Amino acid sequence: MKIQRHLLALAIGFGAMHGAQAVSQEYILPYNSLPGACNEASNAQAGGTGNTYKCAAENSWDYTVDVNAYAATTGSVFAAAKVEDWSGGFGVSYVGESGSSPQHAMDNDGKLEMLLFSFDESFALSDVKIGWPSSTYDTDISILAWTGAGDPSQALASLTSSTETSLLSTGWDLVGNYENLDDGVYRSVNGSAISSSYWIVSAFSRYGASSPNWDGAKDYMKLHSIKGQFTCVNSNAPGCNQGGGGGGGQVSEPGSLALAGLAVLGVYGVRRRRGQQAA
């Protein structure tokens, strides 16, 4: 019996040890950098706001993310803005904003502008790259993750009912502020490896906090690409199983290992019964 228990524990242990897969992915946003990787899935509404871009990871449609834009003046709630696809990356515009440089980018001049990334699976953002500007302007950013309780759809509801200073009390966490990003160079973010299906990348804001006390200059940038990892725990979502998409009837690696362990236990049981019968 002791041997049987040990074998059963071993079989379960194999499955638990390999029960999660970390899948690294990169999203390159501007159309000219990776044609077909990002498409405008829904057009802007009347007034030029509210469009959605759907982007594929490394040009693979197994992993997609929806990208939307929002903007707010101090004291006002965030409202839908427009995602602008430039050669250097995604910018943000809102009704009445100048389309000339540098306000064609994502910035905090006039309104605080942000990009919302909505994933189907939990995603641990790890790196961010801007594609413009190369000099002249400040390029400080802030990153937030949705960690609120309840239905994930609350992430969007809380965003469009919050102001810049109240957002952090509605389920959004400030993951970090990052200063002076360099054009074309990835910056590591999210040192705590927070994982969420909803992420915000915005021009720098303290979001109601008293620090950091940076120079106060306005920030302008175009977001070129992001990296991170999906964690798929016994998931049948596309791309989570070994070898890409998971079709019906496939047994993932964790399940295979657990079955192998149980098979060993079964063989042992048969041999033990035969030995008892021969005695």
Side-chain angles (χ1 to χ4, degrees):
M1 289 297 294
K2 287 183 179 180
I3 295 176
Q4 285 179 306
R5 283 196 296 269
H6 289 325
L7 287 171
L8 180 59
L10 181 62
I12 296 172
F14 272 131
M17 183 173 61
H18 295 274
Q21 302 173 52
V23 184
S24 297
Q25 294 293 350
E26 179 180 23
Y27 292 85
I28 299 174
L29 306 178
Y31 179 83
N32 67 315
S33 297
L34 191 60
C38 282
N39 296 311
E40 194 170 19
S42 67
N43 296 325
Q45 305 300 310
T49 62
N51 62 335
T52 299
Y53 270 82
K54 184 175 287 290
C55 299
E58 299 174 306
N59 216 19
S60 166
W61 290 97
D62 274 349
Y63 298 89
T64 61
V65 60
D66 288 345
V67 187
N68 297 91
Y70 293 87
T73 56
T74 301
S76 299
V77 298
F78 285 95
K82 184 180 180 183
V83 181
E84 298 282 6
D85 185 8
W86 300 102
S87 59
F90 280 178
V92 176
S93 68
Y94 55 86
V95 176
E97 183 180 27
S98 170
S100 60
S101 179
Q103 288 191 305
H104 65 312
M106 181 174 70
D107 60 74
N108 50 18
D109 186 357
K111 291 187 178 184
L112 174 63
E113 298 172 355
M114 60 172 58
L115 292 167
L116 170 68
F117 293 84
S118 304
F119 296 91
D120 291 330
E121 292 278 326
S122 190
F123 184 75
L125 182 65
S126 62
D127 300 88
V128 170
K129 183 198 294 184
I130 63 171
W132 183 93
S134 58
S135 60
T136 307
Y137 304 108
D138 266 17
T139 53
D140 307 335
I141 67 169
S142 300
I143 294 179
L144 294 81
W146 170 257
T147 58
D151 191 308
S153 64
Q154 294 297 320
L156 179 57
S158 67
L159 175 59
T160 54
S161 62
S162 299
T163 66
E164 179 180 350
T165 56
S166 69
L167 187 60
L168 298 185
S169 64
T170 63
W172 289 94
D173 279 353
L174 180 60
V175 174
N177 297 305
Y178 304 91
E179 191 176 18
N180 299 328
L181 272 69
D182 294 319
D183 174 27
V185 179
Y186 268 114
R187 174 71 64 88
S188 295
V189 299
N190 188 25
S192 299
I194 293 170
S195 189
S196 174
S197 295
Y198 297 92
W199 288 88
I200 287 172
V201 180
S202 76
F204 168 68
S205 170
R206 287 191 290 270
Y207 288 99
S210 58
S211 62
N213 292 313
W214 290 343
D215 57 24
K218 299 299 183 183
D219 300 286
Y220 309 87
M221 73 290 299
K222 296 173 185 173
L223 191 61
H224 182 278
S225 45
I226 62 174
K227 288 181 181 179
Q229 289 188 329
F230 291 96
T231 301
C232 307
V233 182
N234 299 325
S235 174
N236 289 320
C240 283
N241 291 327
Q242 289 283 48
Q250 292 183 344
V251 179
S252 64
E253 180 188 7
S256 299
L257 289 168
L259 289 174
L262 291 171
V264 172
L265 177 61
V267 170
Y268 170 79
V270 170
R271 289 183 175 177
R272 188 170 183 273
R273 283 196 298 273
R274 285 178 178 175
Q276 289 173 338
Q277 291 170 358

